[in-house]
Amino acid sequence: MGRGYRIVLTADRATMTDYSGLEALGFLLCIPYRLVPEPIARKLLAPKIRTSKAGEAIIAPYALRKIEASLLVSGFEKSDIVVTTPEALSRVIGPDTRIVAIHVLDPLGLAPVSYTVSSLMGGGDTWTKKFFLELISKIRKLKERYRFKVIAGGPGTWQLRYIFKNLGIDCLIHGEGEVVFPEICRLVLEDKEIPDEVDGGSVPLELIPTIRAPARAGLVQITRGCPRRCQFCNPTMFNFRSIPLDQIVEEIKVNKLAGFDHMGLVTEDGFMYGARGVSVNRDAIMKLIEIIKNQGVNADFTHVSISGVLQGKDIIPIYNEAFNHGPENPYFVQVGLESGSSRIIAKYMAGKPRPWKPEDWPWMVLEATEIMNENYWYQCYTLILGLPGEDEYDVVKTLELIKSMRRAKCWIFPLLFIPMGRSMLEHESFAPVKIFEKECYRELLFTCIEHNLEFSKKVLPLMLRGIRNSLTRRAVTKFLMMSIKAIERTKYEIKSNIYSVIERLSQVKFISPIDVFRALVMMRVLIR
Ligand code: SF4
C-alpha cells in the first residue's frame, strides 16, 4: 500500500499480541519492565502478531475488530481501512493516511493489577506502559511526516486525560466507540474540526456490529455492560445488553474460519446472559450453550459472578459437559470477590450480591467457591484493598473469609484500590502502598500469597497447557517456577517487614546486558 491506508487502527504490543495463546500471560506485562528480561517480554509474553503482505494483522484485539466493523457498516470502504500491528505501521501509513486510531487498555500502567504490582515491586514503568510509549513515539514520528489525526479510545483513556495532547493525540474517545468513531472519521475526512474529547456512551444493542475478521483468542462478546453498578467501576458498564444469538453465531463462524476451535465468551458475568435485572435466565443460557455447541466449538465465559453461580448452579454440569470440563480440563475463571466485609459491600457494591443482600456476601462466597470447585471451576478471585473508609474491622473480616477458604482451589489476588477515571469514586485517592504499615493488611497479603503459591504449584502445568508452542510453554513454566521460588523465599519477610522487600526490589535491574544474555541462554537451553 504505497500511499497508505486512509484509516489505520492499531494498539500497542501489550494488547496487539496473542500472549503465546494464553491470555493470562498478559498480566505479567503489568510487572515493571526492569524486572522482566526483554526477550521474555517480547518473545514469550507478548510475541508479535503476524501480518499479511499488505500489513493487515492476521488476528487483532476484539475491540479493534468491533471498531473496524463499525466503519464498514457506516459505509467506509474496506480498502480504506487497515487493522495493523505496531511493527507494520510504517508499511501501512503514507501520504493518504488521515487517521491513526489507537485502542488503549493500560497506557500508563495505572490499571489495578499494574498499579498494585508496580507498587509492591518498588515502582517503575510496567511493560504495558513501555509498550504504549514505544507505540506513541513511532506514531509521532510518522505524524510529523504525514500530518494525520491521532485518535485514542478504549477502557484506558482515563489514564491519558491530562496528557494526551502532549503525546500527540488529537482526540480521546471515552466509552463505547462504535457510533461515535465513524462520525469522527467523517469529520476528519471532510477537513472539519474534531473535539478534543468525546463520550461515546453506551451503544444501543441494534447498533453493535458483528466482527468481520478474527479476534485474538477467538473472542466473541455475549453481553455488554453489567447491571450491578459498583461505584469503582466504569459507568459505561451500567447499561446491560445481551447480544442476540444470531450475532454470536456469526462471530463464532468468523473466528472458526481462522482456525479457532475455542471461543472466549466476553462477558462480565456469563450467568447474566439474557437476564432481566439480576435474575439468571436459565433458558437463555441453555440456548446459548446449545447454539455454541452446534457450531462444533468449545467456549468459556471470561467472567462469572458469585451471585450468578449460586443462582445458576444447576447449569454448571451442563456447561461442563458441553465444553468438556472435568478434572483433567478445569475451567479457570475470573470472579470479583473484592471484600469479606459486608459493610464495604453495602457501601460500594451493594449490587454484587443481588438478589441477596450485602450481609449475605461471606456465605455466598464460600458456597459459590465450593460449588465451582466441585465442578472443576478454579477461580481467579480479586480483592480490593484500601477503598476509602476501609478500616481494620473490614480487613479482618476479609482475612477471616480468606482463611476459611484455605482448601479452596483458587487464586486470590489482592489489588490496591484505584480511583478509575469517570467512575463514581474518581475523585478519591489511589490506595497507597503504605497501607501495609498496618499488620492486618500485611497478614492478609501474606495469607493470599501462601494460598496462591500452594495452588499455583498444583495447577500450573494444567493451566499452561493453553500455550500452543511446547518450547514457549517450557520457557514460561521455567520463568514462573523461578518467580514462585523467589516469592516463597521472601514471603515471611513480606509479612514482617514488607518495606525492606520493596526497597530491595526497587534496586533490582534484570535487564542489564548480562541478564538479557542469561535470559537468552535460558531460552535457548529450553528451546533446544
Ligand atoms: S460487578 Fe464487576 S463489572 Fe459489574 S459493576 Fe461491579 S465491578 Fe463492574
Side-chain angles (χ1 to χ4, degrees):
M1 191 90 188
R3 295 191 56 82
Y5 289 86
R6 293 220 291 173
I7 304 174
V8 175
L9 308 177
T10 192
D12 62 56
R13 178 80 167 268
T15 314
M16 189 58 94
T17 173
D18 71 350
Y19 309 108
S20 289
L22 184 65
E23 293 274 296
L25 289 186
F27 288 113
L28 297 177
L29 298 171
C30 301
I31 296 176
Y33 72 83
R34 66 187 164 79
L35 294 171
V36 181
E38 195 142 359
I40 289 185
R42 291 187 194 274
K43 301 267 182 224
L44 303 185
L45 307 181
K48 280 182 205 166
I49 280 179
R50 279 189 305 122
T51 49
S52 69
K53 263 198 187 135
E56 296 159 310
I58 303 296
I59 55 160
Y62 186 77
L64 278 182
R65 289 300 188 206
K66 282 290 197 201
I67 291 298
E68 172 187 42
S70 74
L71 290 171
L72 294 172
V73 296
S74 305
F76 288 86
E77 293 295 327
K78 170 102 185 68
S79 55
D80 281 341
I81 308 161
V82 69
V83 177
T84 195
T85 64
E87 298 77 30
L89 277 177
S90 45
R91 279 199 280 144
V92 301
I93 290 176
D96 286 352
T97 302
R98 304 294 309 279
I99 296 148
V100 174
I102 318 166
H103 169 62
V104 292
L105 213 54
D106 184 26
L108 301 185
L110 295 175
V113 179
S114 293
Y115 173 69
T116 305
V117 170
S118 176
S119 301
L120 290 174
M121 291 189 158
D125 289 352
T126 58
W127 270 104
T128 54
K129 181 172 176 182
K130 185 174 167 64
F131 279 136
F132 173 74
L133 293 179
E134 281 177 8
L135 173 71
I136 275 292
S137 145
K138 203 171 218 176
I139 289 176
R140 290 182 80 169
K141 280 189 196 126
L142 289 162
K143 186 181 181 186
E144 270 168 31
R145 193 155 161 213
Y146 296 116
R147 306 266 151 220
F148 46 76
K149 294 283 184 203
V150 180
I151 299 170
T157 50
W158 65 273
Q159 300 184 15
L160 300 173
R161 203 140 185 210
Y162 302 105
I163 59 161
F164 69 96
K165 287 281 174 184
N166 297 340
L167 294 172
I169 296 169
D170 300 286
C171 173
L172 271 191
I173 298 182
H174 304 290
E176 298 173 7
E178 288 109 326
V179 170
V180 80
F181 180 67
E183 287 168 5
I184 301 273
C185 287
R186 281 206 200 289
L187 292 177
V188 174
L189 296 179
E190 289 165 9
D191 288 321
K192 294 188 176 147
E193 284 286 302
I194 57 169
D196 290 349
E197 289 185 70
V198 61
D199 189 340
S202 45
V203 170
L205 187 58
E206 62 281 8
L207 296 182
I208 297 176
T210 304
I211 62 168
R212 307 289 183 91
R216 179 189 75 214
L219 294 183
V220 172
Q221 190 166 45
I222 58 163
T223 67
R224 191 179 284 196
C226 171
R228 300 190 183 275
R229 295 176 170 255
C230 302
Q231 291 183 27
F232 50 85
C233 194
N234 187 331
T236 310
M237 298 292 275
F238 293 173
N239 180 12
F240 176 71
R241 289 142 288 170
S242 293
I243 308 297
L245 288 173
D246 52 354
Q247 191 169 354
I248 292 172
V249 168
E250 280 311 301
E251 296 201 345
I252 289 174
K253 284 182 180 162
V254 169
N255 287 336
K256 196 175 163 192
L257 211 59
F260 289 103
D261 57 7
H262 182 276
M263 306 291 142
L265 304 175
V266 181
T267 175
E268 304 309 322
D269 179 3
F271 285 101
M272 284 291 99
Y273 183 75
R276 287 226 169 85
V278 290
S279 299
V280 164
N281 181 341
R282 195 175 186 280
D283 290 347
I285 300 173
M286 298 295 284
K287 191 88 192 139
L288 173 73
I289 294 172
E290 187 192 326
I291 273 188
I292 294 171
K293 226 26 232 176
N294 287 346
Q295 295 306 308
V297 294
N298 280 325
D300 279 312
F301 302 139
T302 53
H303 297 76
V304 297
S305 74
I306 301 273
S307 160
V309 167
L310 291 177
Q311 291 184 65
K313 61 185 172 199
D314 58 318
I315 300 170
I316 296 179
I318 298 159
Y319 178 102
N320 278 357
E321 197 181 328
F323 301 136
N324 302 323
H325 287 302
E328 296 307 315
N329 184 28
Y331 165 35
F332 296 97
V333 60
Q334 293 187 50
V335 191
L337 193 166
E338 322 308 10
S339 175
S341 163
S342 299
R343 196 181 76 93
I344 288 289
I345 299 291
K347 189 168 178 189
Y348 294 116
M349 46 197 122
K352 258 191 195 286
R354 279 176 57 212
W356 288 276
K357 297 200 165 59
E359 55 269 32
D360 294 316
W361 189 244
W363 72 254
M364 290 175 68
V365 172
L366 293 177
E367 200 168 312
T369 303
E370 205 177 313
I371 292 169
M372 285 192 262
N373 280 182
E374 277 169 0
N375 286 285
Y376 313 102
W377 287 24
Y378 302 155
Q379 312 84 335
C380 178
Y381 278 131
T382 48
L383 294 178
I384 303 179
L385 306 189
L387 274 156
E390 180 178 69
D391 62 20
E392 201 159 329
Y393 165 86
D394 303 306
V395 184
V396 168
K397 286 285 161 201
T398 305
L399 186 56
E400 284 170 6
L401 181 64
I402 301 309
K403 282 190 170 168
S404 64
M405 292 165 66
R406 199 169 295 126
R407 274 193 275 281
K409 292 178 179 136
C410 62
W411 290 278
I412 305 160
F413 288 112
L415 300 174
L416 293 168
F417 164 70
I418 61 147
M420 193 187 297
R422 304 171 71 250
S423 74
M424 288 159 83
L425 300 180
E426 72 171 338
H427 298 299
E428 300 292 342
S429 305
F430 283 76
V433 76
K434 79 172 192 313
I435 62 172
F436 293 107
E437 278 171 8
K438 290 193 182 152
E439 198 186 337
C440 57
Y441 278 107
R442 287 202 306 278
E443 178 77 22
L444 178 56
L445 180 63
F446 174 79
T447 307
C448 292
I449 289 174
E450 272 216 306
H451 184 106
N452 294 342
L453 286 174
E454 282 313 304
F455 185 57
S456 295
K457 281 188 272 180
K458 282 184 205 143
V459 295
L460 214 55
L462 275 178
M463 190 190 163
L464 297 182
R465 280 193 323 195
I467 300 177
R468 290 179 312 270
N469 181 303
S470 66
L471 303 171
T472 306
R473 195 182 320 125
R474 285 168 62 194
V476 171
T477 306
K478 179 88 179 161
F479 176 67
L480 289 178
M481 288 313 288
M482 279 164 50
S483 309
I484 286 173
K485 278 189 189 145
I487 299 170
E488 207 141 40
R489 276 198 302 272
T490 44
K491 67 181 181 185
Y492 291 106
E493 199 181 344
I494 290 172
K495 191 176 178 182
S496 60
N497 188 1
I498 188 171
Y499 297 108
S500 79
V501 179
I502 294 175
E503 171 62 26
R504 262 205 329 276
L505 275 172
S506 73
Q507 310 296 326
V508 178
K509 273 203 177 71
F510 271 161
I511 53 168
S512 65
I514 188 79
D515 287 313
V516 171
F517 176 72
R518 275 196 200 125
L520 283 170
V521 170
M522 183 184 103
M523 283 168 62
R524 213 184 141 63
V525 168
L526 289 162
I527 286 167
R528 201 179 286 153

